[in-house]
Amino acid sequence: MEYFLSITVTTLATAFVALLMLRPLSTRLGFVDIPNARTVHHGHVPNIGGLSVYLGMLAPVLFMDVDWQYQGLYILGVSIMVLTGALDDLKELSAKSRLLVQAAVSLLMLVLAQYPVSYLGEFPILGTFNIGGLGYVVGVFAIIGSINAFNMIDGIDGLAGSVALIALAQICLLLFIRGNTDLCLLALIVIVALIPYLILNLGLWPFERKVFMGDAGVMFVGFTIAWLLINATQSPSRYISPISAFWIISLPFMDILEVIRTRLKQGKSPFQADRQHIHHLFLNAGLPAKQALVAVLILATSTSGLGLVLELTGAKEWIMVLLFIILNAAYFHVKPHLGKLFKRWAVHPYPHDH
């Protein structure tokens, strides 16, 4: 108990101190978010939240007795991802450059860890569904997909961080129940490291100290969640079923699929920024940003929570797959109307924060 408490305190203190130290330097170093056509915040806001979360995670992990074949690889991979995100925050890298780095690092990690995403579950008639070496390709797409799903949902205060918190909490719970304390502890550390950032980002700190997550933070949480899920689903012990990984990040996953589908249908690049994400629908319907945040979190908790119940009750994987397909179809059909359903929550016609 003292061990867990010391790690928690170290993480919390490091992340909080990093925020307070990096924030005054952000303008000088160029780590600021400048308002554009897709954002509604005013002024230049420091986007060093993700760096503080990364440092909060790094401090305790470096002093833990870790399995360096896997956790050491995680530190290497996530550090490269965070560095790439930080460069993107400074210089705004092209989408192709970001994807190239994400793909290269993802493949390197999977090969070194010898963890291809090859086991996809147990199904009637098919039996064990294993795709062998193709799992490396699937794994690369899974990591890139996770990173960009959280990137695309990072549009209002607290959203990406809170959705990541929900996913990490479910991963942590499942790993704790199934007896993998090492991965559970890593998930817990990241949860704790996110708390100081969310306090400042949501304006819960008594003094005005707003910060954004930045691309470094999005790369951090997206990669971390993907790495935890790959380890949990592909290890010989099978701590989590592969389909449960999709349920855990169901809302970001469904939103990125629907947005990419819509953009391609309109003849646009899938990476062209616009205002078609789920939080934009709530904002356009007139909900203030904080109410839009609550609405999205209710949906995220409900969809991922259903998957958690199915996992814990031992539902057959084919049933979980079928239900997930039905959920996606329902989301694609209902999403355009979600804003209107929640419109009665609106207090004023348009949000005045990020």
Side-chain angles (χ1 to χ4, degrees):
M1 185 64 183
E2 290 182 3
Y3 178 66
F4 281 90
L5 183 60
S6 65
I7 287 176
T8 300
V9 172
T10 301
T11 303
L12 197 63
T14 304
F16 189 70
V17 170
L19 272 175
L20 296 183
M21 291 183 65
L22 288 174
R23 194 179 186 283
L25 298 173
S26 59
T27 303
R28 192 182 311 168
L29 297 175
F31 285 100
V32 291
D33 191 273
I34 301 173
N36 56 46
R38 292 181 296 108
T39 58
V40 292
H41 68 273
H42 303 285
H44 295 186
V45 180
N47 52 11
I48 46 79
L51 292 175
S52 73
V53 177
Y54 165 72
L55 293 173
M57 174 280 301
L58 195 62
V61 170
L62 286 178
F63 295 100
M64 286 167 52
D65 183 17
V66 300
D67 181 352
W68 286 101
Q69 182 181 357
Y70 298 111
Q71 303 305 74
L73 279 176
Y74 162 72
I75 293 173
L76 172 64
V78 80
S79 297
I80 297 174
M81 291 294 191
V82 169
L83 176 61
T84 303
L87 290 175
D88 191 31
D89 287 325
L90 285 172
K91 302 293 184 181
E92 196 168 344
L93 304 176
S94 67
K96 290 182 179 180
S97 299
R98 294 195 305 270
L99 283 174
L100 182 61
V101 173
Q102 291 168 11
V105 174
S106 300
L107 182 59
L108 177 65
M109 297 287 292
L110 294 169
V111 170
L112 291 178
Q114 297 182 356
Y115 261 1
V117 183
S118 54
Y119 173 73
L120 301 181
E122 304 284 339
F123 300 95
I125 302 175
L126 293 175
T128 299
F129 191 14
N130 193 307
I131 59 174
L134 283 175
Y136 287 107
V137 177
V138 173
V140 169
F141 276 99
I143 295 173
I144 292 175
S146 177
I147 291 171
N148 286 280
F150 280 95
N151 182 36
M152 289 187 178
I153 208 170
D154 183 29
I156 54 178
D157 287 345
L159 185 53
S162 297
V163 173
L165 204 67
I166 293 169
L168 288 163
Q170 295 190 0
I171 293 169
C172 186
L173 175 62
L174 287 171
L175 290 171
F176 178 76
I177 292 173
R178 304 284 164 76
N180 190 327
T181 53
D182 288 342
L183 283 180
C184 174
L185 184 57
L186 177 57
L188 179 62
I189 287 171
V190 179
I191 290 171
V192 174
L194 278 167
I195 292 173
Y197 156 72
L198 285 171
I199 290 174
L200 267 66
N201 179 245
L202 291 171
L204 303 179
W205 187 250
F207 308 102
E208 180 58 40
R209 293 288 188 275
K210 181 178 284 293
V211 294
F212 290 160
M213 181 173 281
D215 289 321
V218 169
M219 297 271 267
F220 173 78
V221 297
F223 179 82
T224 297
I225 289 172
W227 180 253
L228 285 167
L229 289 173
I230 288 172
N231 274 265
T233 59
Q234 301 303 309
S235 68
S237 299
R238 308 278 190 252
Y239 297 102
I240 300 175
S241 65
I243 183 58
S244 287
F246 287 96
W247 279 98
I248 287 171
I249 58 169
S250 52
L251 187 65
F253 177 81
M254 292 188 297
D255 195 58
I256 190 176
L257 280 187
E258 198 279 333
V259 168
I260 289 176
R261 181 185 67 87
T262 301
R263 289 173 182 171
L264 292 175
K265 187 177 179 180
Q266 295 173 346
K268 300 177 182 178
S269 165
F271 300 103
Q272 181 177 333
D274 54 29
R275 293 181 59 87
Q276 298 188 55
H277 295 288
I278 185 168
H279 52 277
H280 291 134
L281 296 183
F282 291 119
L283 295 175
N284 293 339
L287 269 72
K290 283 187 170 56
Q291 293 183 13
L293 170 65
V294 172
V296 177
L297 293 184
I298 288 173
L299 291 174
T301 304
S302 300
T303 56
S304 61
L306 175 58
L308 180 64
V309 170
L310 292 170
E311 171 74 22
L312 290 175
T313 55
K316 298 291 185 181
E317 288 176 298
W318 71 268
I319 294 177
M320 295 180 69
V321 171
L322 179 61
L323 290 176
F324 192 72
I325 292 172
I326 294 173
L327 177 66
N328 275 265
Y331 180 80
F332 290 171
H333 178 72
V334 173
K335 181 185 173 183
H337 310 289
L338 285 173
K340 295 178 182 178
L341 292 175
F342 283 87
K343 192 172 183 179
R344 66 181 184 276
W345 286 17
V347 176
H348 51 76
Y350 205 76
H352 296 293
D353 47 9
H354 176 47

